[in-house]
Amino acid sequence: MDRYLVFGHPVRHSKSPFIHTLFARQTQQELEYGLAEPAVDEFAQALRTFFDQGGKGCNVTVPFKEQAFTLVDRLSPRAKRAGAVNTIKLTDDGVLLGDNTDGAGLVADLKSHGVTLADSRILLLGAGGAARGALAPLLAELPSELVIANRTHTKAQQLAAEFHDLGPVTAQAYEQLAGPFDLVINSTSASLQGELPPLTPALIHTDIAIYDMMYGASDTAFISWAKQHGARQTMDGLGMLVEQAAEAFTVWRGIRPGTKQVLRELKRNLGVI
Ligand code: ATR
């Protein structure tokens, strides 16, 4: 049977095996999908061993995405832009192809929630790996403006300069942000520590859409904060998780699974509904 898995550390709580097993059942593909948690300095060896032993493809998550970028034989254009790889496929001619489906997953999830990206003003919080992966796919949707704000402002400036050729992207310091924005995307890891990015509540209005790439069984700190200040449309990163997985599955198997039912099952599994 064709074998796939996700590499991460820690990875025990990953939902990817659950998601891909449901995709395989739905599309009647015969495959198995597991977990691998190599020591941080043993990822390269573990990756080689997996493919030497017949593995067909894998997902890569924290903290290995940047290292995976340097280990594959060939990169897709979107992985090159993202500077990170979250999906690897062994091609028929034996080449390890590195791809990145995170940004496509974000855009697909925003669209499935009915969020309009064309001509919109988007505020992206954070300038780390997650923000980098989102930039090209967001700019491809032709927003009228995309502003990056980051705690360390110089990193936002560097990122804006790097993606400037793709669209109207600028960097603004948190304390100088000028609204109104139609959509705020939180790509920071602040919610992981229950912290908030230093955003003024004045930017939150009833028609704004709020997206937190993090998720949990209950609202993230950022989503609670936005709701408290009047945001009516809030979304967490669970849908992005399922959509990036669907994109990876499509890369591997050439068949696109439906995501709605799988997202519902995942929510039930997490106790969200
Ligand atoms: P990831 O790959 O998830 O993006 P990362 O590359 O470590 O992780 O980036 C984390 C991002 O969250 C950074 O933009 C970081 O800001 P700095 O560049 O200033 O470090 C941001 N971040 C983390 N904790 C934060 C907090 N409490 N408030 C605001 N931003 C935070």
Side-chain angles (χ1 to χ4, degrees):
M1 198 181 301
D2 288 350
R3 288 196 303 123
Y4 297 84
L5 51 71
V6 54
F7 284 100
H9 198 119
V11 83
R12 240 157 304 155
H13 300 294
S14 168
K15 297 295 166 198
S16 293
F18 182 88
I19 296 169
H20 283 287
T21 301
L22 289 182
F23 284 163
R25 198 176 303 159
Q26 181 203 114
T27 57
Q28 297 177 323
Q29 296 281 298
E30 283 213 19
L31 59 86
E32 57 179 40
Y33 190 106
L35 298 169
E37 193 175 81
V40 170
D41 57 354
E42 285 170 7
F43 170 59
Q45 183 57 46
L47 187 72
R48 208 166 309 129
T49 303
F50 172 65
F51 283 108
D52 283 349
Q53 293 178 348
K56 292 285 183 196
C58 64
N59 284 128
V60 180
T61 186
V62 180
F64 300 130
K65 291 184 193 184
E66 282 79 13
Q67 207 184 331
F69 181 87
T70 68
L71 294 172
V72 293
D73 301 317
R74 202 189 301 151
L75 290 163
S76 70
R78 59 188 180 180
K80 217 175 273 178
R81 265 293 180 183
V85 159
N86 81 331
T87 302
I88 301 176
K89 175 188 178 162
L90 180 66
T91 65
D92 291 341
D93 41 0
V95 167
L96 282 190
L97 175 69
D99 197 0
N100 192 314
T101 64
D102 285 331
L106 169 69
V107 167
D109 193 38
L110 284 164
K111 287 183 176 172
S112 84
H113 282 96
V115 175
T116 304
L117 298 169
D119 285 326
S120 67
R121 289 197 74 208
I122 302 175
L123 172 59
L124 178 62
L125 309 179
R132 177 183 293 275
L135 275 168
L138 285 172
L139 288 167
E141 298 298 319
L142 306 177
S144 59
E145 195 174 353
L146 198 163
V147 175
I148 308 171
N150 193 47
R151 187 172 59 180
T152 312
H153 183 52
T154 49
K155 276 170 68 180
Q157 287 174 311
Q158 279 163 14
L159 211 50
E162 197 179 313
F163 283 82
H164 194 64
D165 58 322
L166 295 186
V169 55
T170 57
Q172 283 176 21
Y174 272 109
E175 58 276 14
Q176 277 159 11
L177 285 170
F181 292 100
D182 303 303
L183 168 65
V184 180
I185 300 170
N186 182 19
S187 82
T188 76
S189 46
S191 284
L192 280 183
Q193 295 98 43
E195 290 173 6
L196 290 167
L199 199 63
T200 167
L203 286 175
I204 307 300
H205 54 88
T206 51
D207 294 328
I208 202 164
I210 300 287
Y211 197 99
D212 195 341
M213 288 194 195
M214 299 283 155
Y215 62 85
S218 52
D219 280 348
T220 67
F222 184 63
I223 285 184
S224 301
W225 175 87
K227 279 182 177 172
Q228 234 172 1
H229 293 286
R232 287 190 302 214
Q233 187 178 19
T234 57
M235 297 152 275
D236 71 13
L238 202 58
M240 175 177 172
L241 178 72
V242 175
E243 294 293 349
Q244 65 76 27
E247 187 77 17
F249 192 94
T250 309
V251 168
W252 293 326
R253 310 297 299 186
I255 178 167
R256 181 170 290 277
T259 51
K260 277 208 167 68
Q261 182 63 28
V262 174
L263 181 57
R264 206 170 306 129
E265 300 263 347
L266 184 59
K267 283 183 177 166
R268 206 169 291 139
N269 176 268
L270 285 169
V272 184
I273 50 170

